[in-house]
Structures are given as C-alpha cells and as structure tokens.
Amino acid sequence: MSAARSELGRVDVASLLRPWAEQAHSSISRELFDALEAVQGNDLLRRSLTDPSRSGEERGALARRIFSTALGDAATGILELLSSRTWATEEAFTEGLESSAVVLAGFAAERRMGPEGLDAVVDDALGMQAVLEEDPELQQALTDARAPREAKLRLLDRVAPSLREEGRLLAEQAILTPRAHRPHRVLADWAELLAEVREGGIARVRYAGALDDAQVERLRGALSRLYGRELKIVLDEDRTLVGGLRITVGDEVIDGSVAARLNELQERIRA
C-alpha cells in the first residue's frame, strides 16, 4: 500500500471530496491530473506545498495563489484542501492528489449516469486493463516515448472506441503520463480504488471451463460474506488452471485450482 493511501485511506479520499460531488465533471478530474503532472515535475513546488515548517493555512493559500489562474474553482479548492493537510512525505501528497483525480472521475460518472456510474467507470478501467495486459505490443505502442501524443490517442480510440467519457480519461492518463508501473497495473489499481469508494471491492476470478449465472451468484455471496462487503466479480477464463478457481482480492489469493494442487503434489513428491 502506498504512503498516501495508508495515511489518508481510499474511502477517506472520497469523504474528503464529497463536497464537490454535486458539481463533479471529467474536466475537474483532468485539471487535477494536470496539477499532479506540474507538482511531480517541480521539486520546489512539491516541497513548498508539503513544507511542515509552514502552517496548513499557509500551504493552502500558496496552492490557491499558484493554481487559481490555471485551474477552475473546484480543482483549485481541492488543491488548497490537500495542501493544507499534513503529509508524511512528498510522495504521499502526490499520491493523494492522484487518488483525488481518480475519485473525481468516478463522482463525475455518478453525477452524469446515476448510481451505476461508478460501476461503469470501474468496468471501463478493468476492460482497458485486460486489453493492455493481453497485448504487450499494444501497450508498448501506446507508451512509446517516441510516438506523438495525438498518434497514441488515435490508437486508443481505435482499440477502445466504446469507452465512456470518464473511463477514457483514466485510460488516457494511465497511458500518456509516465509512472512507476505499466498502464495495465495503474488502471487495475484505479479500478480497485473506485470499487472501494462504492463500499465494495474487486474479486478477480480465474477459472477453467465455464461458470453459469447461478454459480457466479453463489460465489459472489460467499466472497461477500467472507470479506464483509459486496464485491464486484471480474471473470477471466484461464485454461492453464485445468479446473477449479483462482481468486484474487487485493493482495490476497485464494487458489483452489487443479493446477495449484498438481504443483503442490509435485513439490511433495520432490521433497
């Protein structure tokens, strides 16, 4: 878990930003991503906005002076609020800002499409994540530093034409902005963040063969009882498992696959 998310907490980010939910729009999320890029690229700015020798009020006022001419009122207000908080590290601040941009995209979808909006953005992020993970050459083309930005965006539109407004924004940000992890991992993390904001989470279920609707519902119920919250089930067929299921919830793996049991048996034979 990153410093920002252990310090502030994913759902706490959502609580912090709820005053802006009624006016949430993808343009505000985009402005926050732009601010994130500026903060990450300027050591002096980042240090100034997290300087513990300044009061929270002073840091917030500084953020407003710096960003108010470039950003709208909502994005500026969020920057002011985040800067006024005390952060353990500069990285924690930038990760908190990134989380805020993602959450605002979710709020924007919720405002535009209703209660199902958050799920729609999660679906878009997971769908794009799967496309990139399954096609490394495509991911390489979309992240090639030598390729023009517009060419990457045209390619994104060609391979994922059905992305909704907020989902496309997240895909675009994951692809165009260099990060420590590859875009498919970034999108998976953002999808998990938004799933937790909706008071749930994501269970990735790899299976061999076929699962009918009744089996999926029983699995959903069992996992929700186990984890104490409703989980979004993401199904991926994986013939390498031979049979059974391999379930991942966050960092936890429940491996009930035949392949895992065979590997365990082989280890025992070799021991």
Side-chain angles (χ1 to χ4, degrees):
M1 181 178 292
S2 70
R5 284 160 195 163
S6 61
E7 176 182 304
L8 185 56
R10 294 177 185 259
V11 178
D12 290 339
V13 173
S15 299
L16 201 66
L17 300 184
R18 274 295 172 191
W20 286 274
E22 292 294 324
Q23 56 181 307
H25 191 276
S26 60
S27 61
I28 302 174
S29 175
R30 185 178 296 279
E31 286 183 326
L32 291 176
F33 276 118
D34 290 344
L36 172 65
E37 186 174 355
V39 169
Q40 288 179 319
N42 189 317
D43 293 344
L44 177 59
L45 173 59
R46 192 171 58 254
R47 284 196 297 270
S48 298
L49 294 178
T50 56
D51 184 357
S53 69
R54 300 173 187 251
S55 70
E57 188 174 303
E58 289 173 325
R59 293 193 301 272
L62 176 63
R64 177 163 290 279
R65 286 200 303 272
I66 292 171
F67 289 102
S68 60
T69 57
L71 306 180
D73 289 343
T76 300
I78 293 169
L79 259 295
E80 183 177 3
L81 176 62
L82 293 175
S83 300
S84 68
R85 295 182 63 90
T86 299
W87 299 88
T89 64
E90 294 175 20
E91 181 187 21
F93 171 70
T94 57
E95 291 187 352
L97 177 53
E98 179 182 277
S99 293
S100 298
V102 174
V103 169
L104 249 295
F107 283 171
E110 194 173 46
R111 177 172 178 261
R112 189 170 65 84
M113 292 183 278
E116 303 304 318
L118 269 176
D119 275 338
V121 183
V122 171
D123 287 340
D124 277 353
L126 289 174
M128 192 66 207
Q129 178 253 331
V131 168
L132 295 175
E133 191 171 13
E134 292 168 6
D135 192 339
E137 290 185 4
L138 171 62
Q139 183 158 223
Q140 180 59 39
L142 286 167
T143 56
D144 188 346
R146 298 165 299 178
R149 174 189 174 93
E150 291 307 316
K152 294 178 183 179
L153 293 179
R154 286 195 297 271
L155 178 57
L156 173 61
D157 285 336
R158 194 156 62 244
V159 299
S162 61
L163 288 175
R164 283 152 285 221
E165 180 180 332
E166 298 80 11
R168 188 190 184 282
L169 170 61
L170 295 185
E172 175 186 323
Q173 291 296 324
I175 288 164
L176 296 180
T177 304
R179 288 182 169 82
H181 299 299
R182 302 288 283 170
H184 74 275
R185 288 190 59 188
V186 172
L187 286 167
D189 186 57
W190 289 353
E192 186 69 40
L193 165 58
L194 290 173
E196 290 181 15
V197 167
R198 63 183 278 280
E199 299 181 350
I202 296 173
R204 298 171 181 275
V205 180
R206 294 189 179 276
Y207 66 95
L211 291 175
D212 60 33
D213 291 344
Q215 289 173 312
V216 172
E217 285 307 310
R218 286 198 297 272
L219 177 62
R220 188 195 316 277
L223 289 173
S224 296
R225 287 192 297 274
L226 177 63
Y227 287 92
R229 65 187 192 276
E230 182 183 352
L231 295 174
K232 182 178 181 64
I233 305 296
V234 178
L235 298 173
D236 294 308
E237 186 174 5
D238 185 348
R239 297 189 181 280
T240 66
L241 297 181
V242 184
L245 303 173
R246 188 173 190 271
I247 303 168
T248 304
V249 180
D251 296 328
E252 186 174 352
V253 177
I254 304 171
D255 201 334
S257 66
V258 172
R261 294 196 292 272
L262 288 174
N263 288 336
E264 183 181 351
L265 178 60
Q266 289 172 346
E267 290 295 327
R268 289 179 180 177
I269 292 173
R270 286 195 291 265

